[in-house]
Amino acid sequence: MLDLDGAWLELAVLQVERSRVRERIRPAYEILLTHASALSSFLVVGIVQRFYFLCCILVVSSVAAVAQNAPSVSIKQPNLESQDYDIGDWMRDRGFDPLFNGQDLTGWRNPYPHGEAKVVDGEIHLKGDKKFFLVTEKMFSNFRVSVEIHLPEGPANSGVMFRCHVDEDAAKKVYGYQAECDGSDRKWSGGLYDESRRGWIWPSTKGRSEDRFLKHEAESKAAFAEPTIAGALNRNGWNRFEITCIHDLITIELNGVQAVRFRDATDASGFIGIQHHGEQGQTYRFRNLFIKELPQIPAEQHVSLTEQEPVSIKQISDKVTLIDFGKVAFGNIVMHAPPGNGNAMVQFGEKLKGDRIDQMPPGTVRYGATPIRLGQEFGNWIVPTPIDPRNIQQAGLTTSNPPAVLTPPQWQAVMPFRWVEIEGVGKDYPYELIRRRAAFSKTWNDEASSFECSDETLNRIWGLCKYSIKATTFAGVYVDGDRERIPYEADAYLNQLSHYTTDDDVKMAARTFDWLMENGTWPSEWAPHMVFMAHAEWMYSGDNDWLKHRYESLKAKTLFHRSGEDGLVRSNKLDQSRHDIVDWPQKERDKFVFTEINTVVNAFHIVALEQMAVMARAIGKTDDADAFDARVKLAKTAFQKTLFDETAGIYRDGVGTDHSSIHANFFPLAFGLVPDDKVDGVLAWLEKKGMACSPYAAQYFMEALFKNGLDKKAFELITADGDRSWKHMVDSGTTISWEAWDLKYKPNQDWNHAWGAAPANLFPRFVLGVQAAAPGWNTATIRPCPGELTFATGKVPTPEGPVEVQWNNSDTFTVTLKLPEGMSGKLELPAAKATSGVFADGKPLAATRVADRWIVNEMVTGTLKLEVK
């Protein structure tokens, strides 16, 4: 039987052309035609032929009508028609203030003698027969403004004015920057226009742009011809414009698609405005007008300074004293004003050279010096660290990264350091009174988590990684270390996983997610990490309202816009040379060969779609969920058929190459994309490989091994001798995890990078085996991966309270488990070959053996001790 509903869904999701419709209907047509021919009835044949063509027309018309009016399935871009929550609460939660109170036009004015503005059902409606603008009474400088626009039918053009000006005496009273809302077939919505002044800036065009802007005419027009930007506007629905101005850098986003990132210094401040283009009888509608003034400094509310005493003080000479604070932390120092005359120097460092601070450390390892003047005042005074301009940069090159996360100015400058060297102050000075002011999350709780096992190297690694998460909370959101102080999506996701397993009050993850949704970065795989972050936060908190507020925006992060009719993502030349990461740094890619269809990028795409389907269903968007599921099925089929090398039994790097990197295999394995009958072959191949990846990708490599029974291999790699393991990090003496395994693999690496702290989440999630089984941790899975360890014990924080686990692994496997009240657990315990079942107090429990696991049939609660024997 022909599945017309399935055909409709495929068409709605994949946006296929008429020829695809005919292909879907043709099988039924041919069957009917065969039967009609067998009956030798020209009349029946004619009817069947008409039926076929009528179906083509009806299906295409139905899809076109749905797309034109109010699509129920819109998984490619945000669907603002389906907002079923209070957007004001969501915007305020993200730090925005309303520009419009929803009731009257307080704070707005019309400088023109014509035009009508009124409030209707919480919207601003503009009517007129001449062009006019409604503008704010307040001026703004650096900000992010969000406005939703609904164009009328027929010829229509509108936009959002920003940093604009008003000349009461001019005929064209409002002039300045405008984010274009273009209802014509030109499709320049999201473009940057200079109203009543310089004309089109980006894109530019002859006759309507100044010569200097015509230099990029071809480039800018080509950008707006790309389907992603050209198709960003929902012509007959609501559209969200978000404009960010930081100094001279202007960014315009339309429905989550960045259309413009341009530098122009003409205006530093001005009003916000909305436009009626002057079409008589037309009503332009505006709603949800919000603004966030920049910069935002999360640490002001969420981070505090802790004064720390020196661990040791060493007199190097009569004029040089070295102070050790034991571990690296972000901060500065407070000290009593030294007596005397002249100058002295306070030096800060992450690295020693001999018994002195290394003043020329490699890479981005930190050193800085601050001069002080002796005898200037009494009492204690703050000695700030030097300022690295990159760490406070708010507007870099148009092709560079988003703004750095600032620390509160009242702190004065901070940097990561362990040692302080004071030169020029006598040995009689009370150095023991010097304190480091270290910045940590206000809610950090050292007692929230613990881990110990029979391998002391693993214990040292856990200590390093847990402290790394604590030390990198200094900015109030997750940042990439100290080189740029910028959140990156992949860095943040790994940081998030480890923060959940080490601390018991983790609001920083959700805060970082919102920051990144407004300040995204450029790598291909980093975008799907935003879906991962949202899914992880939802699984942690169980907060459906939080998810509902952010769900539509996530659609722009799945890479759907780059996928073809087979469901697989394509990478153009720029993607292959710059955007597709696979691993970072470049030398850690195991010689990965980049092609148009990339195995790693597509693995991220598919799992992001899977998670979107789960989240859509959780918040009641079942049509979306079904559409995502259909897309996943399509992409998975193509992924396996196109990218798996049946002869070798492993995945290729992509279409057009026979090379297979470990990345092309452990990412699909970690994501559960490898068919059951292919898993053993991929595992056998990976088991022979070393750590041919960075600490970032090692998170997923280790997950792939732990999830598939190769615990021993994972432990071997984590504790391997040589310079490509976490053992190398702890043996080096570092107190915060590194960005790379060693400087020779990334010469400019940070020594304070949280993505290098993956064992902080790997050990609780896999060695202790504690993971959420449902959103909000009402149920948990306990699945220990012991390898050759003889015991492990620890405490894993959850929103419901800590889960405590202690297991021993010898002739039998015993586990003592304490679940918080209200949480139930699903047990999946290791099963040695000779074991017969699971026992509690000597009595057998109903359990089913599946491969190398005993699955306890019933959920457990409270405190219990079990034995597998």
Side-chain angles (χ1 to χ4, degrees):
M1 181 176 179
L2 180 62
D3 180 10
L4 286 176
D5 287 337
W8 181 91
L9 180 60
E10 183 180 60
L11 290 166
V13 175
L14 303 182
Q15 300 178 339
V16 297
E17 67 277 8
R18 281 177 167 79
S19 61
R20 285 293 300 277
V21 181
R22 289 194 289 269
E23 289 169 9
R24 287 283 285 171
I25 296 174
R26 179 170 287 277
Y29 162 64
E30 290 178 345
I31 292 171
L32 290 172
L33 189 62
T34 300
H35 289 299
S37 299
L39 294 172
S40 301
S41 171
F42 291 105
L43 177 61
V44 174
V45 171
I47 291 172
V48 171
Q49 288 174 334
R50 284 174 174 80
F51 165 77
Y52 166 61
F53 291 112
L54 180 61
C55 283
C56 290
I57 294 169
L58 287 176
V59 174
V60 173
S61 299
S62 297
V63 174
V66 170
Q68 182 74 11
N69 296 322
S72 60
V73 178
S74 176
I75 64 173
K76 187 175 182 179
Q77 64 183 28
N79 180 4
L80 302 186
E81 313 304 317
S82 64
Q83 290 176 173
D84 55 355
Y85 56 88
D86 186 344
I87 192 172
D89 290 343
W90 171 50
M91 298 297 284
R92 291 183 186 91
D93 188 46
R94 294 166 56 205
F96 284 80
D97 295 316
L99 280 171
F100 166 51
N101 62 23
Q103 299 175 353
D104 57 43
L105 295 176
T106 299
W108 292 82
R109 66 190 180 103
N110 178 5
Y112 296 82
H114 56 269
E116 175 189 357
K118 62 180 181 179
V119 178
V120 180
D121 296 331
E123 301 172 5
I124 298 176
H125 287 194
L126 301 185
K127 289 185 177 181
D129 55 6
K130 296 180 182 179
K131 181 191 291 188
F132 76 98
F133 297 88
L134 193 69
V135 297
T136 59
E137 295 175 349
K138 180 181 176 181
M139 299 181 73
F140 300 91
S141 180
N142 295 323
F143 56 82
R144 185 175 180 91
V145 65
S146 181
V147 177
E148 291 181 14
I149 302 177
H150 195 301
L151 294 175
E153 294 181 2
N157 184 288
S158 185
V160 181
M161 302 293 292
F162 57 96
R163 284 184 177 172
C164 70
H165 305 280
V166 177
D167 184 348
E168 301 285 358
D169 299 325
K172 297 181 177 180
K173 297 181 182 298
V174 176
Y175 64 94
Y177 298 129
Q178 182 186 75
E180 180 81 359
C181 186
D182 180 6
S184 73
D185 292 338
R186 181 181 55 183
K187 297 184 178 181
W188 282 5
S189 289
L192 177 58
Y193 184 70
D194 195 352
E195 173 72 29
S196 298
R197 193 164 52 181
R198 295 173 296 168
W200 280 102
I201 296 176
W202 187 282
S204 57
T205 189
K206 288 183 176 66
R208 299 198 65 190
S209 299
E210 293 185 354
D211 288 347
R212 54 178 160 163
F213 300 134
L214 291 176
K215 293 179 179 178
H216 58 245
E217 180 180 9
E219 178 187 357
S220 59
K221 284 183 175 178
F224 273 75
E226 286 289 328
T228 304
I229 297 178
L233 183 78
N234 178 13
R235 176 59 185 86
N236 295 315
W238 286 101
N239 297 275
R240 180 175 294 145
F241 285 78
E242 293 192 340
I243 303 108
T244 305
C245 293
I246 304 178
H247 304 318
D248 62 348
L249 189 61
I250 297 168
T251 304
I252 300 173
E253 296 176 16
L254 171 57
N255 292 328
V257 175
Q258 186 179 107
V260 171
R261 184 174 171 86
F262 194 83
R263 184 181 296 280
D264 189 83
T266 301
D267 294 311
S269 64
F271 302 103
I272 306 297
I274 53 179
Q275 178 190 24
H276 189 294
H277 197 253
E279 292 83 4
Q280 188 172 8
Q282 297 282 48
T283 298
Y284 288 78
R285 299 163 60 191
F286 303 84
R287 71 180 187 185
N288 298 327
L289 295 89
F290 292 89
I291 195 165
K292 176 194 295 186
E293 296 194 69
L294 301 174
Q296 297 266 296
I297 305 177
E300 287 185 325
Q301 297 181 44
H302 306 293
V303 179
S304 59
L305 297 176
T306 300
E307 290 197 357
Q308 299 175 321
E309 299 180 3
V311 171
S312 67
I313 301 169
K314 183 178 182 180
Q315 202 76 38
I316 304 299
S317 67
D318 288 345
K319 292 294 183 179
V320 177
T321 301
L322 182 69
I323 300 172
D324 182 5
F325 287 96
K327 293 182 178 180
V328 173
F330 287 78
N332 50 39
I333 66 168
V334 59
M335 62 186 293
H336 191 76
N341 297 303
N343 299 314
M345 187 70 69
V346 177
Q347 300 180 80
F348 304 86
E350 282 187 286
K351 180 178 180 295
L352 288 184
K353 187 175 183 179
D355 60 358
R356 302 286 301 272
I357 290 177
D358 190 343
Q359 297 185 20
M360 297 185 66
T364 318
V365 178
R366 288 308 190 197
Y367 164 78
T370 301
I372 58 174
R373 186 127 179 114
L374 303 179
Q376 292 299 298
E377 56 181 278
F378 297 98
N380 288 337
W381 55 325
I382 296 169
V383 181
T385 65
I387 295 175
D388 184 333
R390 197 172 183 183
N391 289 342
I392 60 173
Q393 188 176 69
Q394 295 295 287
L397 299 174
T398 55
T399 55
S400 70
N401 297 314
V405 180
L406 302 181
T407 52
Q410 61 269 25
W411 288 5
Q412 301 192 46
V414 299
M415 65 177 274
F417 66 93
R418 173 177 173 177
W419 290 277
V420 168
E421 195 174 285
I422 300 179
E423 186 172 357
V425 177
K427 62 182 180 180
D428 294 332
Y429 178 82
Y431 294 99
E432 69 278 5
L433 299 180
I434 293 176
R435 297 291 182 266
R436 179 172 64 184
R437 306 192 315 155
F440 304 115
S441 169
K442 285 182 179 180
T443 59
W444 181 270
N445 177 12
D446 280 322
E447 305 305 314
S449 62
S450 64
F451 174 83
E452 185 182 2
C453 70
S454 55
D455 188 319
E456 186 55 33
T457 299
L458 293 179
N459 296 336
R460 292 168 59 212
I461 291 170
W462 161 258
L464 166 69
C465 294
K466 177 179 176 178
Y467 178 74
S468 298
I469 300 304
K470 175 182 179 179
T472 52
T473 60
F474 75 98
V477 291
Y478 305 140
V479 295
D480 73 324
D482 198 51
R483 185 170 56 252
E484 296 160 312
R485 296 193 188 174
I486 288 171
Y488 284 86
E489 293 86 342
D491 306 53
Y493 174 64
L494 270 59
N495 201 331
Q496 173 186 22
L497 293 180
S498 293
H499 201 174
Y500 288 155
T501 56
T502 52
D503 199 2
D504 58 5
D505 187 354
V506 185
K507 297 182 177 64
M508 193 174 292
R511 193 160 56 245
T512 305
F513 173 88
D514 286 341
W515 182 286
L516 277 165
M517 287 300 288
E518 296 176 10
N519 300 282
T521 64
W522 47 268
S524 296
E525 298 97 311
W526 277 207
H529 273 93
M530 292 304 296
V531 180
F532 293 11
M533 287 191 74
H535 184 266
E537 172 62 20
W538 172 64
M539 287 294 293
Y540 177 80
S541 68
D543 189 342
N544 277 9
D545 287 338
W546 181 91
L547 177 60
K548 188 180 294 185
H549 292 168
R550 291 153 179 84
Y551 165 79
E552 290 294 339
S553 298
L554 279 172
K555 291 177 178 178
K557 301 296 182 179
T558 64
L559 303 181
F560 194 113
H561 62 283
R562 283 173 50 183
S563 61
E565 289 187 7
D566 58 359
L568 297 182
V569 170
R570 267 62 177 176
S571 299
N572 62 30
K573 290 182 179 180
L574 181 60
D575 294 326
Q576 293 174 46
S577 63
R578 172 172 166 77
H579 299 146
D580 297 351
I581 294 298
V582 174
D583 204 344
W584 194 257
Q586 297 176 356
K587 293 181 180 179
E588 298 285 35
R589 294 170 177 164
D590 194 27
K591 300 180 180 179
F592 188 93
V593 177
F594 289 85
T595 61
E596 182 186 13
I597 298 179
N598 174 320
T599 303
V600 173
V601 169
N602 274 286
F604 274 94
H605 171 61
I606 293 171
V607 76
L609 294 177
E610 286 183 325
Q611 292 184 357
M612 288 296 292
V614 171
M615 293 187 289
R617 208 171 297 282
I619 60 174
K621 294 184 179 291
T622 54
D623 286 348
D624 277 14
D626 290 343
F628 277 120
D629 283 338
R631 189 69 176 184
V632 168
K633 183 178 180 180
L634 178 74
K636 277 187 172 180
T637 300
F639 184 86
Q640 189 65 23
K641 180 179 179 181
T642 306
L643 298 167
F644 191 76
D645 184 339
E646 292 287 350
T647 302
I650 54 177
Y651 290 91
R652 306 179 184 91
D653 292 346
V655 174
T657 178
D658 289 328
H659 185 264
S660 295
S661 65
I662 63 170
H663 303 73
N665 287 275
F666 68 64
F667 278 115
L669 194 62
F671 294 156
L673 301 180
V674 184
D676 291 343
D677 62 336
K678 308 295 184 185
V679 168
D680 287 345
V682 174
L683 282 173
W685 185 80
L686 284 173
E687 194 169 12
K688 301 174 183 177
K689 302 295 180 178
M691 192 77 86
C693 62
S694 76
Y696 149 70
Q699 167 81 49
Y700 296 100
F701 191 8
M702 298 304 101
E703 284 191 17
L705 298 177
F706 279 124
K707 287 178 179 178
N708 291 279
L710 291 187
D711 317 353
K712 181 181 176 181
K713 174 67 175 180
F715 290 132
E716 287 176 356
L717 292 173
I718 290 168
T719 61
D721 292 329
D723 58 11
R724 301 186 65 82
S725 69
W726 279 282
K727 178 178 182 290
H728 174 60
M729 284 194 200
V730 293
D731 286 348
S732 74
T734 187
T735 59
I736 301 181
S737 54
W738 295 341
E739 182 182 5
W741 297 121
D742 196 81
L743 283 162
K744 71 183 182 183
Y745 301 115
K746 193 175 193 299
N748 71 333
Q749 73 153 318
D750 269 330
W751 272 14
N752 43 72
H753 210 92
W755 87 358
N761 74 77
L762 293 171
F763 293 178
R765 293 170 61 220
F766 296 107
V767 182
L768 297 178
V770 180
Q771 297 193 48
W777 281 91
N778 290 325
T779 59
T781 298
I782 313 299
R783 184 183 181 276
C785 298
E788 295 185 340
L789 298 177
T790 58
F791 80 87
T793 182
K795 180 166 61 173
V796 182
T798 82
E800 296 294 310
V803 176
E804 297 182 40
V805 178
Q806 179 179 337
W807 55 253
N808 290 275
N809 182 33
S810 55
D811 294 336
T812 62
F813 185 88
T814 61
V815 59
T816 301
L817 178 65
K818 183 177 181 181
L819 298 175
E821 185 176 351
M823 182 187 294
S824 56
K826 183 72 173 178
L827 302 185
E828 301 181 13
L829 303 179
K833 290 182 179 179
T835 58
S836 60
V838 180
F839 298 83
D841 298 325
K843 299 178 181 179
L845 291 180
T848 304
R849 181 158 186 162
V850 179
D852 61 351
R853 294 275 162 182
W854 282 107
I855 312 298
V856 177
N857 295 350
E858 300 293 331
M859 304 290 281
V860 301
T861 59
T863 301
L864 64 160
K865 183 175 182 179
L866 302 173
E867 184 176 18
V868 179
K869 61 180 182 179

